[in-house]
């Protein structure tokens, strides 16, 4: 026997179904609490809980004195994993495409060389790629790669497979480091991401190692309204014996 859903879950499902059906799209204002109470025949407390949970789950935004609005769809990445952007987009049902802006050999500037524990001027491969989901830019990737780890890097077509996919295929990436910051997009970055200069962005600095050598260093930039980051942990507190 299937038990009926709690009232607040019924309200949530009603709102989500209308969003999925396209009755409401990103940025649209939803009916007020009073309007939902009257239309659905439930209590104000029930509606308030439903809206609160939809907000916590990232489906809607609630603005004091203004009401509730449909949130933009965000791609969710995993802080603890090395996952290709194409796989992340496929997970949310979007088609990946890419525009390669730069693919070259360079002499490393001092700050980049330090990421590899190399001297300035060391030989590195450099690329800049805009990744898109259903044609909308979601990630600006700037990456430097150790040529000894991936000697054929410059011969790859990164509109067919991502740099991450390629590196995972040719190098045993045994260790990774992520540094996450909130930044504003520069004028050039905003243009590449089809965004307004200063748009709040999530920046991930990622280094990966093959053995004891740094294989690549990447700066990944995501518009804040198109991406969110999660982390998964296991055995949390396992080492705490108190």
């Amino acid at each position: 026997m299937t038990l009926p859903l709690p009232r607040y879950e019924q309200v949530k499902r009603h709102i989500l179904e209308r969003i999925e059906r396209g009755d409401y799209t990103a940025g649209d204002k939803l009916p007020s609490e009073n309007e939902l109470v009257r239309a659905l025949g439930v209590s104000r407390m029930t509606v308030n809980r439903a809206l609160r949970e939809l907000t916590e789950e990232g489906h809607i935004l609630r603005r004091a004195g203004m009401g509730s609005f449909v949130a933009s769809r965000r791609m969710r990445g995993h802080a603890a994993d090395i996952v290709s952007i194409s796989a992340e987009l496929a997970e949310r049902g979007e088609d990946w495409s890419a525009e390669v802006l730069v693919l070259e050999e360079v002499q490393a500037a001092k700050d980049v060389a330090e990421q590899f524990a190399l001297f300035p001027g060391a030989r590195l491969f450099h690329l800049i790629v805009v990744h898109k989901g259903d044609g909308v830019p979601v990630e600006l990737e700037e990456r430097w790669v150790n040529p000894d780890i991936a000697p054929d890097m410059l011969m790859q077509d990164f509109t067919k497979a991502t740099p991450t996919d390629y590196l995972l295929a040719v190098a045993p990436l045994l260790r990774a480091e992520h540094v996450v910051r909130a930044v504003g997009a520069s004028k050039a970055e905003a243009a590449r991401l089809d965004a307004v200069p200063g748009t709040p962005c999530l920046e991930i600095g990622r280094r990966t190692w093959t053995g004891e050598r740094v294989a690549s260093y990447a700066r990944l930039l995501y518009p804040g309204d198109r991406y969110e980051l999660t982390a998964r942990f296991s055995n949390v507190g396992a080492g705490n014996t108190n």
Side-chain angles (χ1 to χ4, degrees):
M1 181 178 69
T2 302
L3 296 175
L5 289 172
R7 287 291 182 88
Y8 74 90
E9 286 286 358
Q10 294 178 33
V11 174
K12 286 175 62 178
R13 179 168 294 187
H14 169 79
I15 294 171
L16 286 173
E17 285 176 351
R18 295 201 63 182
I19 292 173
E20 291 169 1
R21 198 165 62 225
D23 296 343
Y24 301 114
T25 59
D28 285 352
K29 186 176 181 179
L30 295 172
S32 68
E33 287 190 14
N34 287 336
E35 289 171 330
L36 289 169
V37 166
R38 290 195 297 269
L40 302 177
V42 295
S43 70
R44 188 181 183 91
M45 184 181 298
T46 296
V47 169
N48 186 272
R49 177 172 178 177
L51 293 177
R52 184 176 72 250
E53 292 196 3
L54 288 171
T55 301
E56 292 170 353
E57 293 165 8
H59 299 293
I60 69 173
L61 302 172
R62 302 181 78 183
R63 297 172 182 161
M66 298 178 65
S68 300
F69 299 82
V70 179
S72 299
R73 287 195 305 162
R74 293 184 176 186
M75 186 174 60
R76 176 170 294 173
H78 306 302
D81 302 330
I82 301 176
V83 180
S84 167
I85 186 70
S86 59
E88 291 185 23
L89 287 165
E91 188 177 298
R92 71 172 189 175
E94 295 189 22
D95 291 327
W96 167 79
S97 61
E99 180 182 359
V100 179
L101 304 178
V102 173
L103 184 59
E104 62 184 359
E105 181 178 316
V106 297
Q107 293 182 323
K110 183 175 183 294
D111 59 333
V112 174
E114 288 174 351
Q115 299 290 340
F116 288 83
L118 297 173
F119 291 107
R123 176 173 167 259
L124 293 175
F125 294 149
H126 175 232
L127 61 90
I128 300 176
V129 182
V130 178
H131 299 279
K132 303 177 182 181
D134 287 348
V136 178
V138 293
E139 179 189 276
L140 176 61
E141 172 182 5
E142 183 169 20
R143 185 185 295 269
W144 293 263
V145 176
N146 185 333
D148 293 337
I149 302 296
D152 296 329
M153 188 90 184
L154 299 186
M155 293 185 285
Q156 306 309 306
D157 182 353
F158 292 116
T159 66
K160 303 297 184 185
T162 70
T164 296
D165 286 329
Y166 172 69
L167 287 170
L168 289 172
V170 302
L173 302 181
L174 303 179
R175 184 158 54 100
E177 171 190 82
H178 292 87
V179 178
V180 182
R181 297 194 306 152
V183 299
S186 69
K187 185 176 181 180
E189 291 165 344
R192 288 168 171 172
L193 288 168
D194 194 17
V196 176
T199 292
C201 292
L202 181 70
E203 178 191 273
I204 300 177
R206 175 188 291 167
R207 283 196 297 172
T208 57
W209 280 261
T210 294
E212 295 302 314
R213 293 184 296 175
V214 175
S216 75
Y217 168 65
R219 179 175 178 264
L220 311 173
L221 195 66
Y222 306 87
D225 62 346
R226 304 174 202 167
Y227 191 88
E228 63 183 32
L229 186 69
T230 65
R232 296 173 180 168
F233 302 94
S234 59
N235 298 325
V236 175
N240 186 353
T241 57
N242 293 330

